[in-house]
Amino acid sequence: MKFSPLVDELIQSLRCLPGIGPKSAQRMAFQLLERDRVAGTKLANTLAQAMLDVGHCQSCRTFTEDALCPICVSHKRGHANVLCVVETPADVLAIEAGGHFNGRYFVLLGHLSPLDGVGPEELGLNLLEKQLADGGISELILATNPTVEGDATAHFIADIARHYQVSVSRIAHGVPVGGELEYVDSTTLALSFNGRLPL
Amino acid sequence: MKFSPLVDELIQSLRCLPGIGPKSAQRMAFQLLERDRVAGTKLANTLAQAMLDVGHCQSCRTFTEDALCPICVSHKRGHANVLCVVETPADVLAIEAGGHFNGRYFVLLGHLSPLDGVGPEELGLNLLEKQLADGGISELILATNPTVEGDATAHFIADIARHYQVSVSRIAHGVPVGGELEYVDSTTLALSFNGRLPL
């Protein structure tokens, strides 16, 4: 026992946060105890409520405490019939930050990984197929990560979508804006050549 | 609004933790929501309880949910009449990790800093003086940080202790073990020369 039981337990509990080791957890615990009990209590309450109430959007599977997420219920999405498939809710945020996409999303919450027991069902692909079957979706943009698993997932979804009247595309991979060719890896360079556009 | 209100609030609340920016907070929130709701709920409960129950040890001022901390109530401290004065509870842990000190502690929870409104009372020096006046303390080891404020605090406490039958010492400052002279700053080197011991 290093400190009193409750302080020890707080430090241990903080270690469930990603990237937080024993030293950081200790620093966090002391900071909250010493300087900011109000914020600490608020965090405790919000955390308890979120762990209990936050579920998945019935339409796009992102995190929300309501039946549908703000994007799915919004009437301001001009291209509501365009569906962008991403791996995580953070990807939704990254795309929304750009502000160039005005359709809806479908969040897989992962990628196909049979060895980890993640198959089509875990990714909610039956829900996606149902949405495709119901009609109302004219285009599917596959924005999974450019990794082996992300690519495999994209191809798997493209195969499903082929049965329906939907145009399917994959986001472009190539040299990022501001990047220097010299430092870009050869696979990315090859992709950027394959995906070249007429000018 | 980026996500649904509750998820947004969770991300905002997590930013009260030291060193956690918007991206890390978002990662933490998603990790807990996606993978570890049990740990998240446990953290929420422990945090709420700690913010409410953890106070200060009536003897040494470290954090504890009881009246006295485990070190102050322990009967196994061989040198219970030796008091080591440190700035923070984390310092207690650092010294305890060494296992070479077997006395008790007094935690200032800061250092003298008149501009920030931290005077002798905020550091509990009246409590320390009462303990000195009560007798039972034969030696005072000042282990405040080797900073301007820490040194000033140490000298201030030494002045108080001079009125009582107590031997007062300051921990040695010099070249750390495993350090290389070449890379040690000149102030530390000067201190290590001043504090040289006969061999």
Side-chain angles (χ1 to χ4, degrees), chain A residues 6 10 28-29 31-34 36-42 44, chain B residues 46-54:
Chain A
L6 186 54
L10 175 59
M28 285 175 169
Q31 161 95 5
L32 291 178
L33 286 169
E34 234 173 289
D36 216 348
R37 299 224 180 189
V38 176
T41 307
K42 187 168 176 298
Chain B
T46 313
L47 191 57
Q49 206 193 334
M51 291 299 114
L52 204 67
D53 291 347
V54 172

Side-chain angles (χ1 to χ4, degrees), chain A residues 122-196:
Chain A
E122 282 72 23
L123 301 184
L125 293 191
N126 41 1
L127 180 63
L128 178 62
E129 193 164 358
K130 193 172 160 294
Q131 290 185 25
L132 290 172
D134 286 349
I137 294 171
S138 63
E139 191 179 350
L140 205 60
I141 300 174
L142 301 172
T144 53
N145 288 330
T147 56
V148 175
E149 295 88 353
D151 280 337
T153 309
H155 281 111
F156 190 90
I157 296 172
D159 281 344
I160 293 175
R162 215 153 282 159
H163 302 299
Y164 305 94
Q165 297 289 332
V166 177
S167 77
V168 182
S169 59
R170 180 105 171 89
I171 55 167
H173 299 126
V175 183
V177 175
E180 292 182 47
L181 251 65
E182 191 181 347
Y183 299 110
V184 170
D185 64 292
S186 55
T187 317
T188 303
L189 262 185
L191 285 173
S192 77
F193 271 79
N194 287 338
R196 67 191 183 277

Side-chain angles (χ1 to χ4, degrees), chain A:
Chain A
M1 193 173 56
K2 294 166 175 177
F3 298 100
S4 60
L6 186 54
V7 180
D8 266 350
E9 200 187 329
L10 175 59
I11 295 172
Q12 274 304 318
S13 298
L14 282 165
R15 293 194 54 191
C16 75
L17 298 171
I20 302 304
K23 278 271 174 189
S24 305
Q26 189 184 305
R27 187 165 143 246
M28 285 175 169
F30 287 152
Q31 161 95 5
L32 291 178
L33 286 169
E34 234 173 289
R35 309 240 170 91
D36 216 348
R37 299 224 180 189
V38 176
T41 307
K42 187 168 176 298
L43 171 58
N45 294 340
T46 312
L47 191 55
Q49 206 194 335
M51 292 297 117
L52 204 67
D53 290 349
V54 172
H56 297 289
C57 172
Q58 287 169 11
S59 173
C60 76
R61 305 215 326 149
T62 196
F63 291 122
T64 178
E65 67 271 25
D66 304 313
L68 292 172
C69 75
I71 292 178
C72 284
V73 295
S74 171
H75 295 295
K76 291 180 187 161
R77 312 295 294 190
H79 303 101
N81 52 349
V82 180
L83 202 64
C84 176
V85 179
V86 294
E87 291 188 21
T88 68
D91 297 339
V92 174
L93 187 69
I95 297 173
E96 283 295 291
H100 45 77
F101 178 69
N102 202 19
R104 291 187 302 115
Y105 295 91
F106 188 86
V107 182
L108 300 171
L109 297 172
H111 46 236
L112 284 180
S113 179
L115 287 179
D116 302 318
V118 181
E121 267 182 42
E122 282 72 23
L123 301 184
L125 293 191
N126 41 1
L127 180 63
L128 178 62
E129 193 164 358
K130 193 172 160 294
Q131 290 185 25
L132 290 172
D134 286 349
I137 294 171
S138 63
E139 191 179 350
L140 205 60
I141 300 174
L142 301 172
T144 53
N145 288 330
T147 56
V148 175
E149 295 88 353
D151 280 337
T153 309
H155 281 111
F156 190 90
I157 296 172
D159 281 344
I160 293 175
R162 215 153 282 159
H163 302 299
Y164 305 94
Q165 297 289 332
V166 177
S167 77
V168 182
S169 59
R170 180 105 171 89
I171 55 167
H173 299 126
V175 183
V177 175
E180 292 182 47
L181 251 65
E182 191 181 347
Y183 299 110
V184 170
D185 64 292
S186 55
T187 317
T188 303
L189 262 185
L191 285 173
S192 77
F193 271 79
N194 287 338
R196 67 191 183 277
L197 295 170
L199 199 67

